[in-house]
């Protein structure tokens, strides 16, 4: 299976497909994975535009698209739905998710799983708490966020989270800190998936490995929000992973 991995497109997703000369034109493959932050702040127009783009590109992939939200995709987090007392996603978000998933080849994951061609994939938008309560899907480090990672099935082959694990592709240039989640790292070390895909830390765009897992930071936008990082092409061949 050939997986194409992207993240943090921040409304620039059409740059990947609209211009054949653009340096990171989206490759074809068997499965496209987007690890969140497809919008700038989750406004309705941004989400609608991204959803329409997903429907356009999904047929280019044998098994379609799997995507999650990120901290910028605020409308997907009920805490920003003040009209519904912060209990549910806005109805228009629910309708968009339902519409794009009705095709059968686009899958939205939120602390949930999907099996695609025998591969178990689990995805989550959750990131460790930062900058107060201004961003979506934040959880406090420790028991609060660990409770989410404890729900990852032990037979998961690919984990997609918006934020990286601690000490893998999570170093921030300005603060000079490793800001990934230690509890997520512990969960990944326990489950030993073949692949962990994240984004969130734009300057972390790269690939790292340990004995069991390949870690991919798929941020398309750079630290200055220029959408010039390359998508990753990931080949799963007989249990081995090759990265291009």
């Amino acid at each position: 299976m050939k997986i194409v991995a992207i993240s943090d497109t921040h409304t620039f997703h059409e740059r990947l497909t609209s211009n054949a000369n653009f340096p990171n034109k989206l490759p074809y493959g068997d499965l496209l994975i987007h690890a969140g932050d497809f919008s700038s702040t989750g406004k309705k127009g941004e989400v609608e535009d991204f959803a329409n783009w997903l429907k356009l590109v999904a047929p280019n992939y044998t098994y379609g698209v799997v995507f999650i939200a990120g901290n910028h995709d605020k409308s997907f987090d009920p805490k920003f739905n003040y009209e519904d007392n912060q209990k549910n996603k806005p109805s228009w978000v629910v309708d968009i998710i339902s519409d794009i998933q009705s095709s059968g080849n686009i899958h939205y994951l939120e602390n949930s799983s999907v099996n695609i061609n025998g591969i178990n994939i689990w995805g989550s938008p959750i990131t460790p708490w930062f900058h107060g309560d201004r961003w979506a899907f934040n959880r406090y480090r420790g028991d609060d966020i660990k409770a989410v990672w404890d729900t990852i099935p032990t037979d998961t082959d690919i984990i997609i989270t918006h934020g990286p694990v601690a000490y893998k592709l999570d170093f921030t240039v300005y603060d000079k800190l490793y800001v990934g989640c230690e509890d997520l790292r512990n969960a990944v070390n326990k489950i030993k998936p073949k692949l962990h895909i994240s984004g969130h830390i734009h300057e972390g765009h790269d690939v790292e490995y340990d004995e069991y897992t390949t870690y991919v930071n798929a941020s398309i936008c750079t630290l200055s929000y220029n959408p010039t990082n390359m998508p990753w092409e990931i080949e799963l061949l007989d249990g081995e992973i090759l990265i291009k």
Side-chain angles (χ1 to χ4, degrees), residues 116-127:
I116 295 180
N117 195 35
I119 297 174
N120 294 320
I121 304 172
W122 186 91
S124 173
I126 300 298
T127 51

Side-chain angles (χ1 to χ4, degrees), residues 126 129 138-149 183:
I126 300 298
W129 191 275
N138 283 183
R139 295 291 186 276
Y140 288 109
R141 294 177 186 268
D143 290 343
D144 191 26
I145 202 166
K146 181 178 181 296
V148 178
W149 311 140
D183 286 300

Side-chain angles (χ1 to χ4, degrees), residues 47-80:
V47 177
E48 289 175 335
D49 187 67
F50 178 68
N52 289 332
W53 181 79
L54 287 182
K55 290 189 285 187
L56 178 68
V57 301
N60 295 330
Y61 298 88
T62 309
Y63 304 108
V65 179
V66 173
F67 78 103
I68 63 172
N71 62 291
H72 278 255
D73 306 318
K74 290 177 160 185
S75 54
F76 277 60
D77 188 336
K79 77 179 181 183
F80 292 104

Side-chain angles (χ1 to χ4, degrees), residues 24-219:
N24 50 354
K25 183 175 171 61
L26 198 64
Y28 294 146
D30 294 310
L31 181 66
L32 175 65
I33 292 178
H34 192 302
D37 274 6
F38 46 82
S39 71
S40 58
T41 56
K43 294 177 181 177
K44 186 176 182 180
E46 295 174 346
V47 177
E48 289 175 335
D49 187 67
F50 178 68
N52 289 332
W53 181 79
L54 287 182
K55 290 189 285 187
L56 178 68
V57 301
N60 295 330
Y61 298 88
T62 309
Y63 304 108
V65 179
V66 173
F67 78 103
I68 63 172
N71 62 291
H72 278 255
D73 306 318
K74 290 177 160 185
S75 54
F76 277 60
D77 188 336
K79 77 179 181 183
F80 292 104
N81 186 10
Y82 303 110
E83 294 181 359
D84 191 35
N85 200 26
Q86 304 175 321
K87 292 181 179 180
N88 299 289
K89 288 177 171 53
S91 59
W92 63 265
V93 171
V94 175
D95 290 343
I96 287 175
I97 294 173
S98 177
D99 175 61
I100 60 178
Q101 292 196 137
S102 66
S103 65
N105 64 350
I106 301 174
H107 307 274
Y108 172 66
L109 300 183
E110 186 174 314
N111 306 326
S112 58
S113 297
V114 64
N115 182 285
I116 295 180
N117 195 35
I119 297 174
N120 294 320
I121 304 172
W122 186 91
S124 173
I126 300 298
T127 51
W129 191 275
F130 70 108
H131 293 308
D133 204 23
R134 61 181 291 195
W135 295 114
F137 298 111
N138 283 183
R139 295 291 186 276
Y140 288 109
R141 294 177 186 268
D143 290 343
D144 191 26
I145 202 166
K146 181 178 181 296
V148 178
W149 311 140
D150 284 346
T151 69
I152 305 175
T154 57
D155 62 349
T156 300
D157 301 300
I158 299 174
I159 294 175
I160 311 165
T161 57
H162 182 56
V165 305
Y167 312 116
K168 293 287 187 185
L169 311 172
D170 65 328
F171 186 75
T172 58
V173 171
Y174 289 147
D175 297 328
K176 293 183 170 47
L177 294 172
Y178 293 95
V179 297
C181 181
E182 293 192 10
D183 286 300
L184 177 58
R185 181 182 176 92
N186 291 338
V188 170
N189 286 343
K190 179 180 178 181
I191 295 168
K192 298 178 175 59
K194 299 182 186 307
L195 184 63
H196 177 260
I197 298 174
S198 68
H200 191 41
I201 307 304
H202 294 188
E203 61 266 50
H205 179 265
D206 207 341
V207 176
E208 292 191 17
Y209 307 86
D210 64 22
E211 184 178 357
Y212 301 102
T213 302
T214 298
Y215 299 84
V216 174
N217 181 316
S219 297

